[in-house]
Amino acid sequence: MPTEKSHMSKYSNDPGIPSGSGKDVIAEIYKSLKASAFYPANHPLRNDIIRQTYQLLLGFLHGKNLALLITRNGLFAAEGGAAIENSLAAKSLARELFVREIQRLCFLPDLSMEEFECFLSLLTADPQKIIADGGMEKALADREIRNIVTNEIDITAVFTKKAVSEDETGEPAQASGMIGESRAIFELPPVDDMEDMEVGEIIEAMKNESGDERYCGLAGLLLSKSRALKAQGGFEELMPILLFLMEQCSDASKGRIRRDAAHAAFAGAADGEMTGYLLDCLADRNFKAKENAYGILARLGEKAVDPTIQKLNSSDNIHSRKALATVLIRIGKPAVPALLALLKDHRWYVVRSMLAILGEIRCSECVSELRPTLHHEDVRVVKESIRCLTKTGGPEAVEMLIDLLADQDQSVKGQAIFSLGILKSEKAVDPLMDIVRKRDLFLKTLQLKKDAVRSIGLIGSKKPLPRLMKIVGKRHLFAAGRWRELKIAAVGAIGLIGGEASYDFLLSMAARGGTVGMACGEVIESMNRKDNRQS
C-alpha cells in the first residue's frame, strides 16, 4: 500500500463533480452497493449491475481522480466544497460511508473491477467490525486495494491554507479542503517564530488563541516539547501538559480544527513510554494522582489497551491487577476486541479476568462471543461468564442462561437461576417453574427449588401465581420440614409479585396459623409498609 505522502501529489488534482454525469455516478455506486448487499455472490443480476457501474465510473474518471468529502447528511466535492445534488441516493451513500468513519473517499483512475467489487463488499460488512479491526483504511490495505483511498489528506496544507502541493507533472495544484467533521490524526508542524517559547508560554498562548492556524502551530510545538521531555524521562513534567491538552480536546468553544489539533498533540505525548510510566504509577499503592492517570489512559483509548493487558497478565499483585483492570474498564469499548481475543487463552485466570472486565464494560454486541466460556473446563471461568452475562443483559444473554438450567453442575445451575431473577425476563418464568415442579418427593434439590422460587418472585410476573399458591396450600406427608421451607420461599415470592390476588391469598393463609401462616403475616406487613411508602 503506498504511503500517505506518495498519494498527496495524486490528490492535488481532485476534480469537482459536474451536475449531470457526476450525479449519475453517485446514484449508480449506491445502486451497486444495494445489489452487493441484497444478491448472493456471483448472482448474474448482481454482477451485471456492478459491472455497469464500474464502466460508468471508469469513463467518468478518464485519467482523473474522483474525490468526495462525506458528512452525516451528504456528499461534497473535494474541490471547493460544493455539495453534490441533494438526491436520496447521495444522502444514502453518505450515511453508509459516514457510519464507517469515512470522511474522505477518492477513486483513482487505475481502479480495477476487482478493487471496486471488493470495496463494495467491505461497505456491506458490519460497520462496528470494520472500525474495531482498524478502520476502512486498514481493510483496504489488507486487501491490497491501491486505487480507492479513504481519509488520507494533506493536513499541513489544510491548516496553513497553502495551495502549494505539486502534482506528478510538476504543476502547482490547489490543496484539498477539509470538512468540519474530519477526525484525522496528524503530525502538527511547529511554527518557526515560536521555537523559543517555553512550555508555560505555549499553554497560555493556546488558552487565549482564537485563530486555527496559529493554534495548530502552538499545538505542534507543544507536542515537540513533550517528545523532548519523554526522551529525557521527564514524565512527571508531562502530566500537567497532558491534563491541559485533555481540557482543550473537550472544550466545545475551541471548534473542531483546534480540538483535533489538541487531541493529536495529546495522543503523541501520551503514548509509548508515557503510557508505561502511568501504568507503573497505577501499580504503586501509594500513587496519589490515580484519577488523573485513569483519565489520561482512558482518553488515549485503544493505544493504551495492549500495554495495559500485558502488564495486567504479568502482575501477581492484587492491588496492581485491580488498578489495571480499572484502566481497561475506563477505556471501555475500544478495549473489547483485545479482551475477546484473550478468551481463548489457555490460562483460566486470564480468561476469568477478561470476563470480569467485559462484564463491567457491558458490551451487549459481544454477548454471543461469550458462549464458549460457558462450557469452559474450569468452573470458575463458567461462573465469571454467568456474572458477565448478568451485567450485560439482553435477550441473548437470557437465552444462554436458560440453557444453563440443564447443566449437571449444581453450583453453575444455581448461579444461572439467581442471574435470571436479576435480569427479570418473563421468558425465564416457565423454565424456572419447571425446576420447582420437577418431581422430588423428599426434596433433595430443595435449595435449587428455593432459588428458582425466589427468582420467579424477583421477575414479578403474575403468570406463575396459581402454581405458587398451590405449593403453599398443599399438604405433604414425607419430608414435611423441607416442604415447609419451600412453602415459606413461595410465600415470599407471592409477596414480591404483589397485587390484590396475592394479598387476599396471603391473608387467608395467615388466618390458618402455624409457621407458614406466620410467614404470610410477615409478608403482608411488608406489603403494607411498601404501599404506605409509595402513597
Side-chain angles (χ1 to χ4, degrees), residues 397-444:
V398 170
E399 290 282 359
M400 290 162 67
L401 291 171
I402 289 174
D403 290 343
L404 283 180
L405 297 181
D407 199 275
Q408 296 303 308
D409 189 307
Q410 298 299 296
S411 65
V412 169
K413 185 184 293 189
Q415 188 163 344
I417 289 170
F418 172 78
S419 294
L420 288 168
I422 297 297
L423 290 174
K424 299 183 184 299
S425 171
E426 288 205 23
K427 195 166 188 178
V429 170
D430 286 341
L432 290 170
M433 202 67 217
D434 288 342
I435 292 174
V436 179
R437 296 174 63 197
K438 187 173 181 180
R439 185 173 175 79
D440 183 5
L441 189 61
F442 294 98
L443 279 188
K444 294 180 180 179

Side-chain angles (χ1 to χ4, degrees), residues 151-384:
N151 297 341
E152 295 190 7
I153 4 177
D154 185 353
I155 296 296
T156 302
V158 171
F159 284 126
T160 58
K161 295 186 172 55
K162 295 178 182 178
V164 296
S165 123
E166 285 193 341
D167 65 17
E168 290 169 334
T169 64
E171 295 296 322
Q174 183 70 30
S176 303
M178 178 181 179
I179 59 174
E181 298 186 47
S182 173
R183 299 190 291 112
I185 300 301
F186 46 86
E187 291 292 325
L188 299 163
V191 178
D192 292 340
D193 62 358
M194 304 176 188
E195 286 290 350
D196 294 333
M197 295 176 70
E198 298 296 328
V199 167
E201 295 175 312
I202 299 170
I203 288 175
E204 286 304 313
M206 288 178 70
K207 286 179 181 178
N208 300 313
E209 183 57 53
S210 59
D212 289 347
E213 183 176 342
R214 182 173 171 81
Y215 185 96
C216 292
L218 289 164
L221 183 58
L222 188 58
L223 174 58
S224 178
K225 300 279 186 182
S226 299
R227 284 175 171 163
L229 281 173
K230 271 203 295 189
Q232 298 161 12
F235 302 117
E236 288 187 20
E237 293 93 329
L238 261 179
M239 286 284 283
I241 297 175
L242 293 174
L243 294 173
F244 162 73
L245 288 170
M246 284 174 62
E247 290 176 2
Q248 296 290 291
C249 295
S250 304
D251 187 350
S253 69
K254 295 296 181 186
R256 171 61 69 182
I257 290 177
R258 279 172 282 161
R259 293 203 307 274
D260 281 350
H263 179 75
F266 168 83
D271 68 0
E273 298 93 336
M274 186 61 186
T275 299
Y277 167 78
L278 291 171
L279 294 174
D280 286 341
C281 288
L282 287 171
D284 181 359
R285 188 183 295 272
N286 298 317
F287 180 60
K288 303 298 184 186
K290 284 186 170 59
E291 283 303 316
N292 287 340
Y294 285 138
I296 291 169
L297 293 167
R299 167 71 71 168
L300 189 57
E302 190 177 354
K303 285 187 175 182
V305 171
D306 285 344
T308 306
I309 289 177
Q310 290 171 13
K311 195 168 185 66
L312 170 64
N313 289 337
S314 63
S315 174
D316 57 1
N317 178 281
I318 186 64
H319 168 81
S320 172
R321 293 177 65 79
K322 284 183 177 179
L324 296 168
T326 301
V327 172
L328 295 167
I329 293 166
R330 295 284 187 94
I331 291 172
K333 289 194 175 180
V336 167
L339 296 170
L340 290 174
L342 280 170
L343 295 183
K344 298 176 182 177
D345 197 278
H346 67 280
R347 296 164 292 180
W348 70 267
Y349 54 89
V350 170
V351 181
R352 187 176 67 172
S353 294
M354 300 305 106
L355 286 167
I357 296 166
L358 285 166
E360 294 300 324
I361 293 174
R362 292 168 168 77
C363 178
S364 56
E365 296 87 353
C366 67
V367 165
S368 60
E369 298 186 59
L370 303 181
R371 190 178 295 275
T373 61
L374 291 173
H375 307 286
H376 198 277
E377 60 185 11
D378 194 298
V379 72
R380 290 168 290 190
V381 172
V382 177
K383 290 182 177 181
E384 192 61 58

